[in-house]
Amino acid sequence: MNPQLPPVAPSVTAELVAALTPRLRKRLDAGVAKVAARPTARAGDMVRIAVDDGTELELHAPGGVVTSAGAIRCGCLLAPDCLHRAAAASAAPVADPTEPSATEQPATKQPVTAPPVTKQPVTDSAPPPPAPVPAAAPTSETATPDQRVAAAALHDAAAAVLEAGTDGAGAVLQAELLRAAHTARLAGLPRAAGRAVAVVTALRAARSTDPAYRLTDLTAALRDVLVISHRLPGATGPELAGLRGTARQPYTPDGSLRLYGLFSEPVLTATGYGGAVTWTADVAGRLYSVSDVAPGGAGRATGAADRAVRLGDTSLTHRELSRAGLAVSGATVSPTGRLGAGAGVRAVRAAGAAWHAEPLDRLWAVPVDEQVSMALAGDRDLLFLDVTLTGTVREAAGECLVADCGGRPLRLAAAHDDPALPDRENLRLLASVRGVRLRVVARLTPAPQPRALLLAVSHPTDPDARIDLGLDRLRRADLPTAPTPRGAPAGPPVDEAPVHLLRRRVDQATSGGRRVLAFPGNRDTEGARLRRHGLVTAGELLAALHAAAAERARDPFGRLLPADSGRFARAWLGAAVHTEELDRILCAAAWGADLTNAADPAVPARPGSPADPVETAHPAVPGDPADPVDAGAP
């Protein structure tokens, strides 16, 4: 994927790839690699790619997005039926045509929102999700025929991607998934369409060795697509509304607000958007966000912090607002707390407040277990914690901080791995000041042990100051001068249930496809270990996953028949959703939180991603972050 190219609408890529002959389709992946490596030149809305000395591609992107096949033109002799146009579309970021604008006009009446779907937490001995949908009353709304057809197409396309893995899911399979996503959006399934686009974006990042690629993001997006397509045909009422999603959040009047800046964070979404979001709170502790997100990468994410906030006539930048305050009149707010910037909104700068002063101090006064319970229920995933740094621990993704949080050993990881952002460097500097007590803002990560992504911290030497770890760079001069104990323990070892055995096979299937799990190995040993720890269902799911991967029927002549990708997809989906639910249960137990009112984890009510800071009250980690639309975010 070439981030220098303008985003291309999913329908455009699907149309261009579908028009290729079978011979050209076989050469498409090589063409994508060639086009992605060629130099580009931008002039206004036009981007030109020099394919070779005599051939030039042109991408016309009014408004920054290519919205029609005719907007991609090639100068070769075979145009318009050439390979170059489809390769350019497949090499570009995937556009989301329903990206909401911060300046859209609010709704004139209160929106009617469906209540969240609730369920009792399951135990390992219970049947794994996705569970069969209970029968609904005859008057309940059901999916339309078009939505059922779109869901089936999404399931088949996602199952084909899972069958092939990242190495085998080339431009042709990606185009089929984009075509299914476009059909789903037209059928009124924006959440499924958004998550399908996130799958394609993650696949392109994986195949181009993008350092920002995360296998867990691809697994989560693929799981969401399969969950929605599996459950939607039988869903009714609130569950159906949650599975459908909404393309845009309605904005409703909220009168006058007095807001206090909390912190700012960069946004890097799985669909190629970048920017910044600033979080504020009112006197009652309710959170509001102001965002500036547009197509772009890490460069735009770092630069957006110094752009003026798009709210009224204020000239405050996001970086300044995170430490100051706002007085807003005529405010409009989405259900997730995002502030609108309509023509009637007025905002002026006001005094801010320190984290240890009212009204912000009340955010840290909420007991930690209650905060985690709210996060697991889907209300928000921001945690406001007082911690003492005790050491570091090395993980597969790198080192993370270990801190004491009310007697609990807590792991604090970097929110972003992109080298253009200072998260990793700031984390390394904080690791050198063990014993320091800090007030932090973090994002909950469901895991068997208390774990969160670190977003902002109080200044190590000035409690009234704060540092946004994704935007500000710590210096050695900011750290305490007194020596800190180098031999401080990193916390007691955690006796974890071996859920990672099932999770590892789920991720391996996402990366390598069905064939990786078809080889004989230590599957019996892993299943026995899961059962010894009481994870009986997990052991059965692991065995079913291996069996579905290895089963290949033969015809009367002994030749192998095509594998049953649908059966493998169902086995993988049961394992993936069950693993997620186990993580939530173990996370709640580690924090002492209550899961009674937690939302159904199999219904991706918000992007998984970062749930995304643009449209959700609890952003997902980039790569959910969640798509900029409320359509699918860590």
Side-chain angles (χ1 to χ4, degrees), residues 112-413:
V112 179
T113 57
V117 180
T118 59
K119 66 179 288 186
Q120 296 295 329
V122 303
T123 62
D124 186 67
S125 60
V133 181
T139 56
S140 298
E141 183 183 8
T142 60
T144 65
D146 288 345
Q147 289 174 343
R148 294 172 186 268
V149 171
L154 269 176
H155 184 278
D156 292 344
V161 168
L162 180 62
E163 172 83 12
T166 56
D167 291 339
V172 174
L173 286 181
Q174 294 171 24
E176 290 300 323
L177 187 54
L178 290 177
R179 178 182 294 278
H182 180 62
T183 303
R185 193 177 296 279
L186 294 179
L189 302 175
R191 175 159 295 128
R195 297 308 284 157
V197 168
V199 170
V200 174
T201 301
L203 285 173
R204 293 181 179 179
R207 293 172 63 86
S208 62
T209 64
D210 187 337
Y213 164 71
R214 291 183 179 180
L215 177 59
T216 53
D217 294 338
L218 174 57
T219 299
L222 192 58
R223 180 194 65 229
D224 289 347
V225 173
L226 289 172
V227 164
I228 295 172
S229 59
H230 174 85
R231 296 182 63 165
L232 186 133
T236 59
E239 182 190 16
L240 178 61
L243 292 170
R244 283 172 174 168
T246 55
R248 295 177 183 270
Q249 290 280 1
Y251 286 76
T252 57
D254 202 15
S256 299
L257 298 173
R258 176 65 170 92
L259 303 177
Y260 299 84
L262 270 170
F263 72 100
S264 292
E265 63 172 322
V267 177
L268 286 175
T269 73
T271 49
Y273 288 83
V277 59
T278 298
W279 295 88
T280 64
D282 63 8
V283 293
R286 182 185 174 188
L287 299 183
Y288 297 83
S289 64
V290 185
S291 62
D292 180 6
V293 179
R300 195 186 189 285
T302 56
D306 295 315
R307 295 174 182 267
V309 173
R310 293 184 296 175
L311 194 68
D313 299 325
T314 180
S315 59
L316 280 172
T317 66
H318 283 269
R319 197 185 301 272
E320 292 171 337
L321 176 58
S322 67
R323 293 160 175 81
L326 274 181
V328 185
S329 62
T332 57
V333 185
S334 78
T336 58
R338 182 184 177 189
L339 292 170
V345 179
R346 298 289 182 270
V348 296
R349 180 171 186 160
W355 282 359
H356 287 84
E358 289 293 338
L360 299 184
D361 181 66
R362 67 181 58 190
L363 294 171
W364 278 266
V366 179
V368 175
D369 57 340
E370 292 184 17
Q371 296 188 49
V372 175
S373 296
M374 288 190 294
L376 294 175
D379 296 335
R380 71 183 187 204
D381 61 359
L382 293 182
L383 302 179
F384 302 90
L385 310 172
D386 288 302
V387 303
T388 301
L389 302 183
T390 59
T392 60
V393 63
R394 181 171 294 279
E395 298 180 338
E399 285 192 348
C400 67
L401 290 174
V402 179
D404 177 82
C405 178
R408 301 182 184 90
L410 168 64
R411 295 188 180 187
L412 296 169

